[in-house]
Amino acid sequence: DVGPDAGRLGGEIIFQGDPSSIEELTETPGAAISYTARYLSGRLTIPVPGTRRRWRDSIVIKGAREHNLKDVDVTFPLGVMTVVTGVSGSGKSTLVRDVLYRALNRKLGNPGDAPSYHRELSGDIARLSAVEFVDQNPIGKSTRSNPATYLKAFDEIRKLFASTQGAKQMGFTASDFSFNSDGGRCEACKGEGMITIEMQFMADITVPCEECHGKRYQKEILEIEYRGKNIYDILEMTINQAIEFFGETDGTQEKRIIKRLKPLQDVGLGYIKIGQNSSSLSGGENQRVKLASFFADESKQPTMYIFDEPTTGLHFNDIATLMKSFDRLISMGHTVLIIEHNMDVIKCADHVIDMGPEGGDAGGSLVIAGTPEEVASCPASYTGKYLKEKLSAGSDI
Ligand SMILES: Nc1ncnc2c1ncn2[C@@H]1O[C@H](COP(=O)(O)OP(=O)(O)O)[C@@H](O)[C@H]1O
Ligand SMILES: [Mg+2]
Ligand SMILES: [Zn+2]
């Protein structure tokens, strides 16, 4: 078990040995914290919600017949969390991505792929202003983008540096503190801090830039300090550290920075460095940066957010954080629609749409739709069988 936490707070071996003895860790006073042990022993759990949210409005798809879909009619509720379940190959992605998402996206006036075969899209479409398909693909295309630039937190940090006495004396503006445009950045590496050398018969290699020694900026820029830190020192801080550092004063510009960084902390990414390159993020991390950007946009009109297997690569403890993020999107007036196998997610749904019963040709039908309790009492549903155990195990919380 590697941990205890992520990023800077991880990297230690917490436990190695027989799985049956890991649970003892939670009982040993002073032992390192192991989330794995705590979830295994049941001391930490993802609770079953006490109540299911009620819904009235919905989007309806009728006569979907792409791939293995057997002319199905499905109702997708609005304003709640719906989980689409079913064995691999049962038709979940075809129904949700190829039919529902594409049809809705076109209907809302956006370009994009033509929807797969269905007879009708109807329901309370006017209640939605947008639909977003959230995948695990990398954020931003530039090799210089990072979570802080994606959430526009770095713009606010650059403004703060431009407002310092030192910057004013030298005539530096906010754009001189950018590593994305000419001005203050190191021109040898174009602000990347690294040089990529193309090798003819081998993989490219990267080496630190000799000009700036990996610090990404020209010497004059690095001499400008805000409370003892230069712009490179800030890029080296984790999100958590930066929130702490900028929170030590109560300036308005510092508050703006914190407001932009906070959503990243809320989705559990506080351990990432401000300057960490987007291309180094894992799929799950990319997905959560996107989630964070949805929170940052408070004026966003009601949106349907669709996730295809968002828990891929996540630990129980990450899943708990993810579930809180979904709840928050719903409390902001949005709709969350998830394709998922993970029972801890399914048991928290307000509504479950179970596809199947099998994969391939023997699938493509709607087995049952309803609350997790209703699905659990459906004998024809594989999901129901596992859900039954899960609900009886965790319902006392
Ligand atoms: N592009 C395609 N062409 C033909 N068949 C496909 C294509 N994509 C998926 N299928 C088939 O359709 C069925 C449903 O697939 P999919 O919707 O991806 O299932 P799920 O998301 O539930 O795992 C499977 O039998 C799959 O092999
Ligand atoms: Mg799929
Ligand atoms: Zn350089």
Side-chain angles (χ1 to χ4, degrees):
D1 191 43
V2 188
D5 267 292
R8 202 174 57 92
L9 303 175
E12 285 174 57
I13 301 297
I14 306 296
F15 174 84
Q16 48 188 324
D18 186 327
S20 62
S21 53
I22 188 175
E23 288 183 32
E24 284 168 24
L25 267 186
T26 51
E27 312 301 332
T28 315
I33 295 168
S34 162
Y35 287 111
T36 309
R38 288 182 180 191
Y39 280 97
L40 270 176
S41 69
R43 186 171 284 204
L44 269 181
T45 54
I46 295 171
V48 177
T51 55
R52 308 288 175 193
R53 292 182 193 88
R54 324 257 289 165
W55 52 277
R56 197 188 58 233
D57 297 338
S58 63
I59 304 291
V60 180
I61 289 281
K62 286 195 175 147
R65 276 204 283 143
E66 189 73 18
H67 299 156
N68 65 344
L69 295 179
K70 309 256 173 346
D71 200 5
V72 289
D73 299 350
V74 185
T75 299
F76 298 92
L78 294 180
V80 298
M81 179 172 123
T82 298
V83 181
V84 179
T85 59
V87 297
S88 188
S90 58
K92 304 180 297 295
S93 296
T94 306
L95 175 69
V96 173
R97 183 193 56 218
D98 302 357
V99 180
L100 173 74
Y101 168 69
R102 291 179 186 170
L104 205 47
N105 195 42
R106 281 274 177 105
K107 187 82 175 184
L108 292 168
N110 304 311
D113 295 332
S116 293
Y117 188 84
H118 65 288
R119 206 170 52 245
E120 185 186 314
L121 166 72
S122 55
D124 307 286
I125 298 163
R127 284 271 329 270
L128 282 178
S129 72
V131 57
E132 299 243 16
F133 194 88
V134 190
D135 52 28
Q136 297 197 344
N137 294 341
I139 53 161
K141 288 182 186 70
S142 157
T143 51
R144 283 177 292 266
S145 80
N146 63 49
T149 57
Y150 193 74
L151 273 102
K152 309 225 168 350
F154 197 57
D155 291 356
E156 302 297 343
I157 293 172
R158 292 192 288 117
K159 280 185 208 156
L160 181 68
F161 270 85
S163 74
T164 59
Q165 203 61 39
K168 282 183 183 160
Q169 265 166 19
M170 297 295 290
F172 293 148
T173 64
S175 74
D176 290 316
F177 292 92
S178 167
F179 47 77
N180 270 322
S181 56
D182 298 356
R185 72 175 178 190
C186 168
E187 274 314 310
C189 61
K190 300 259 184 262
E192 289 194 53
M194 303 290 247
I195 304 270
T196 303
I197 301 168
E198 286 178 24
M199 309 291 283
Q200 211 162 6
F201 299 107
M202 286 182 279
D204 294 350
I205 54 171
T206 55
V207 294
C209 171
E210 281 179 9
E211 187 74 27
C212 64
H213 305 285
K215 296 204 166 177
R216 311 173 72 162
Y217 292 90
Q218 294 164 21
K219 212 169 116 270
E220 296 71 25
I221 293 290
L222 293 172
E223 276 163 10
I224 308 297
E225 290 189 346
Y226 162 82
R227 291 176 48 228
K229 307 280 180 202
N230 67 24
I231 190 84
Y232 174 74
D233 297 331
I234 303 287
L235 286 171
E236 282 295 293
M237 287 182 183
T238 64
I239 296 197
N240 287 339
Q241 287 173 318
I243 288 175
E244 206 179 302
F245 175 70
F246 291 115
E248 284 162 7
T249 75
D250 49 25
T252 40
Q253 189 56 25
E254 286 85 344
K255 286 213 174 72
R256 282 198 196 113
I257 296 170
I258 292 172
K259 194 165 171 238
R260 295 262 161 205
L261 291 175
K262 192 74 179 37
L264 289 165
Q265 192 176 49
D266 292 343
V267 296
L269 292 177
Y271 61 87
I272 282 183
K273 277 186 189 179
I274 299 265
Q276 185 170 337
N277 204 300
S278 298
S279 62
S280 67
L281 300 181
S282 71
E285 287 173 339
N286 275 308
Q287 193 172 44
R288 280 183 288 163
V289 174
K290 291 176 194 177
L291 252 176
S293 74
F294 303 150
F295 295 147
D297 192 354
E298 281 163 0
S299 62
K300 184 126 184 170
Q301 297 300 305
T303 299
M304 178 185 278
Y305 290 106
I306 303 177
F307 299 83
D308 196 346
E309 306 192 6
T311 66
T312 304
L314 301 190
H315 186 274
F316 306 105
N317 209 44
D318 302 321
I319 294 173
T321 310
L322 189 70
M323 298 310 294
K324 284 193 200 116
S325 302
F326 290 151
D327 282 344
R328 186 160 157 199
L329 283 178
I330 291 167
S331 69
M332 288 166 80
H334 302 306
T335 298
V336 173
L337 176 63
I338 311 164
I339 300 175
E340 190 55 73
H341 293 288
N342 185 290
M343 283 294 152
D344 282 313
V345 173
I346 300 171
K347 75 179 186 192
C348 292
D350 298 305
H351 188 72
V352 176
I353 295 168
D354 192 42
M355 299 298 293
E358 312 289 337
D361 275 350
S365 300
L366 177 65
V367 178
I368 183 172
T371 61
E373 287 75 16
E374 285 164 342
V375 173
S377 57
C378 171
S381 164
Y382 289 123
T383 308
K385 207 175 97 202
Y386 292 100
L387 202 48
K388 204 167 191 166
E389 291 166 22
K390 203 77 196 178
L391 289 174
S392 58
S395 57
D396 53 341
I397 296 156

